[in-house]
Amino acid sequence: MVSELVLFQLSSFFALVGMTLGWRGVMTKYAGFYDLPTAWNQVFWGILLGGFYAMSADNGLFVPYFKTASDDEVYAGLNIISLILITLVASVGSHLLLRRKRVRRGGSQPASGWALGLAIGGMVAMVVIYRTFEIAGGVTLFSLSNAIMFALVVPRADAIITARHGFMMLHDKRWGAVLRSTFWRAALLVAVYFVVFQPLGWVFILPFVLLSNPSADAWIWESVPKEGRRRLRRIWAEEARERERSGSQEEAGASVVHIHESE
């Protein structure tokens, strides 16, 4: 059996890769036009909050779930009270971090929420990946494929939840943001724990991520100041015109070559 230290290092590696990939695309698209230092600060706090959240969920929910499944006892589901309490604490903690003055001052709740959610989801993914390797007795085809999926999906899914939380805060829907984040975190946690044993559960998780991910662009866009939005639109328009000119020149060059070949 692979040592616990190696399993932990592998789990950390996959989680960090997942967080890095989650940052690319959405956050890099608007890089330089939102409060980047605040977003990075949220990553630090997200690692702390996510570590507490992931360990609490693991000890209070996953371990009892696994023990019951291992003993072949009849299992009625996760303890609903513990599930609500743990996810509620995580959502309230996220809310308090997004209410800080430095976040509200620039209206960067959605962008900060994405960064915060990536870190929280990364910690959850790290613990779940470790459990997946541990249960499989090491690195197998099943555990490795599941670990890759956890790394790719869980940080992004939590980032979507927390970015939506920040977006709702911009529109003064504080209690609604907390309650919705709690509901979606609880649903995600149940699905993730189910997938540890039944890969078929990805059928329920992937549609949520794929359908919600495009909306994240609109939420992060709200974090960009109005002047920054105008500059971005001008930059994108110039890039589009440049692509059109390049395409026209390539077509003209291809036509000249074709004429010479015909001659």
Side-chain angles (χ1 to χ4, degrees), residues 27 35 50 54 58 62 68 101 111 118 127 133 164 167 190 198 211 225 241 244:
M27 297 294 277
D35 191 352
D58 182 69
F62 183 82
T68 305
K101 185 177 179 180
L118 275 179
V127 174
F133 286 142
R164 174 65 175 175
F167 177 76
V190 171
Q198 295 291 338
L211 293 174
R241 287 194 293 268
E244 290 178 0

Side-chain angles (χ1 to χ4, degrees), residues 153-199:
V153 174
V154 177
R156 183 172 291 270
D158 213 303
I160 291 172
I161 293 170
T162 317
R164 174 65 175 175
H165 189 132
F167 177 76
M168 293 183 69
M169 289 177 68
L170 277 180
H171 295 81
D172 295 325
K173 298 178 180 179
R174 298 182 181 89
W175 283 108
V178 172
L179 294 177
R180 291 191 185 189
S181 294
T182 300
F183 170 78
W184 285 115
R185 275 202 175 88
L188 178 63
L189 209 55
V190 171
V192 165
Y193 286 166
F194 177 74
V195 168
V196 172
F197 303 98
Q198 295 291 338

Side-chain angles (χ1 to χ4, degrees), residues 28-33 221 224 227-243 245:
T28 54
K29 182 178 180 180
Y30 305 108
F33 293 92
W221 179 254
V224 180
E227 179 59 32
R229 296 178 196 177
R230 286 194 290 267
R231 290 172 57 196
L232 264 176
R233 290 191 184 102
R234 287 197 297 268
I235 292 172
W236 290 340
E238 291 174 0
E239 290 177 348
R241 287 194 293 268
E242 185 64 30
R243 285 194 296 269
R245 284 196 295 268

Side-chain angles (χ1 to χ4, degrees), residues 192-210:
V192 165
Y193 286 166
F194 177 74
V195 168
V196 172
F197 303 98
Q198 295 291 338
L200 184 63
W202 288 117
V203 175
F204 302 100
I205 300 177
L206 290 178
F208 159 76
V209 176
L210 295 176

Side-chain angles (χ1 to χ4, degrees), residues 105-160:
R105 184 174 57 241
S108 61
Q109 286 96 327
S112 295
W114 185 274
L116 178 64
L118 275 179
I120 294 174
M123 294 300 100
V124 174
M126 183 178 68
V127 174
V128 174
I129 291 170
Y130 177 83
R131 289 299 187 188
T132 301
F133 286 142
E134 186 181 47
I135 292 170
V139 181
T140 63
L141 180 62
F142 172 78
S143 64
L144 184 60
S145 59
N146 241 7
I148 293 172
M149 289 300 295
F150 283 134
L152 294 175
V153 174
V154 177
R156 183 172 291 270
D158 213 303
I160 291 172

